[in-house]
Amino acid sequence: NAGVTQTPKFQVLKTGQSMTLQCAQDMNHNSMYWYRQDPGMGLRLIYYSASEGTTDKGEVPNGYNVSRLNKREFSLRLESAAPSQTSVYFCASSVFWEGQGIYEQYFGPGTRLTVT
Amino acid sequence: AQSVTQLDSHVSVSEGTPVLLRCNYSSSYSPSLFWYVQHPNKGLQLLLKYTSAATLVKGINGFEAEFKKSETSFHLTKPSAHMSDAAEYFCVVSGRRGGADGLTFGKGTHLIIQP
């Protein structure tokens, strides 16, 4: 059971280049998320997908697109990278604990992206 | 909307002494609250979660947190700090849908353990 996996681990892009960050989970979770982490800011939600075939914007969606390819995979695309998108990106998936009424999130190891 | 305020950006304690990391939250409904830990250059690990079943929540590695509705607080404590506790700690609140629409993170508290 690998949990949540992300590729690549590190990436350097030039301004204007595009790339896709990949995320996969093997826990059969319905919901998946993309966050970015910047120094002193905590994590901020970019997009989420409550189920296969649906996606919704989070707090900071500008400059990003997402695809929920199937139940396992949720990708994040930067069409034209900007230095402001230099960050660490975390993917997560969540399980719903019915007895507690909450979604518990499991995080991937992160992708460190630098845009020059 | 919900929000989280972590009252200290850095906390420094000596090994073997108690740890207190402070968190206040704001929510218009009964929230679910979490503490996550992030060791340097690592991902995030769930320490504990509050789900209204009990106000005192025990987590992993000897940490616990107490939910106080009257004070809108969810402070994290540990009786005796260990060097391995040095990390970034995040207080987190779920949305109305219990986290289905994502989590709101505090800005983090950097815990430093002095030998």
Side-chain angles (χ1 to χ4, degrees):
Chain A
N1 219 2
V4 180
T5 57
Q6 293 182 236
T7 54
K9 285 187 168 47
F10 301 94
Q11 183 71 48
V12 179
L13 290 178
K14 294 188 189 307
T15 297
Q17 287 185 319
S18 62
M19 79 159 296
T20 300
L21 280 64
Q22 307 286 355
C23 173
Q25 52 93 9
D26 61 0
M27 297 175 281
N28 202 37
H29 292 167
N30 286 322
S31 300
M32 298 185 72
Y33 312 81
W34 276 105
Y35 295 87
R36 61 177 287 172
Q37 182 179 25
D38 302 297
M41 297 292 292
L43 275 72
R44 293 179 292 169
L45 183 66
I46 305 172
Y47 271 93
Y48 69 97
S49 170
S51 62
E52 187 178 350
T54 68
T55 61
D56 285 285
K57 296 179 180 179
E59 181 185 352
V60 289
N62 291 344
Y64 305 95
N65 286 302
V66 291
S67 294
R68 184 73 183 269
L69 304 169
N70 47 55
K71 191 171 186 178
R72 288 188 66 248
E73 299 171 288
F74 188 38
S75 62
L76 178 73
R77 183 160 179 84
L78 287 71
E79 291 291 351
S80 179
S84 61
Q85 295 178 303
T86 293
S87 188
V88 181
Y89 291 85
F90 287 98
C91 178
S93 67
S94 69
V95 61
F96 180 61
W97 296 114
E98 196 159 346
Q100 300 170 2
I102 65 163
Y103 287 80
E104 182 173 326
Q105 297 203 1
Y106 296 79
F107 287 84
T111 294
R112 190 173 294 272
L113 175 67
T114 302
V115 183
T116 61
Chain B
Q2 66 276 7
S3 66
V4 174
T5 301
Q6 292 185 243
L7 298 169
D8 306 291
S9 60
H10 293 80
V11 169
S12 180
V13 302
S14 298
E15 190 175 19
T17 64
V19 174
L20 170 64
L21 305 184
R22 299 181 295 164
C23 171
N24 286 349
Y25 70 92
S26 172
S27 178
S28 55
Y29 41 84
S30 294
S32 295
L33 294 158
F34 308 82
W35 277 97
Y36 280 85
V37 61
Q38 184 181 32
H39 288 92
N41 299 312
K42 299 288 188 185
L44 289 99
Q45 181 183 20
L46 180 66
L47 270 182
L48 49 81
K49 58 188 176 186
Y50 166 74
T51 62
S52 77
T55 57
L56 184 62
V57 182
K58 293 190 183 301
I60 61 171
N61 300 333
F63 284 94
E64 61 182 39
E66 186 171 9
F67 174 73
K68 292 187 176 180
K69 187 175 181 179
S70 60
E71 299 175 10
T72 61
S73 68
F74 190 55
H75 301 336
L76 181 71
T77 60
K78 183 173 180 178
S80 176
H82 191 272
M83 293 300 291
S84 62
D85 295 328
E88 192 83 14
Y89 291 79
F90 294 98
C91 184
V92 181
V93 64
S94 68
R96 182 179 294 277
R97 293 170 57 197
D101 51 351
L103 301 174
T104 299
F105 281 72
K107 294 185 177 181
T109 297
H110 187 57
L111 179 61
I112 300 161
I113 311 296
Q114 307 279 5

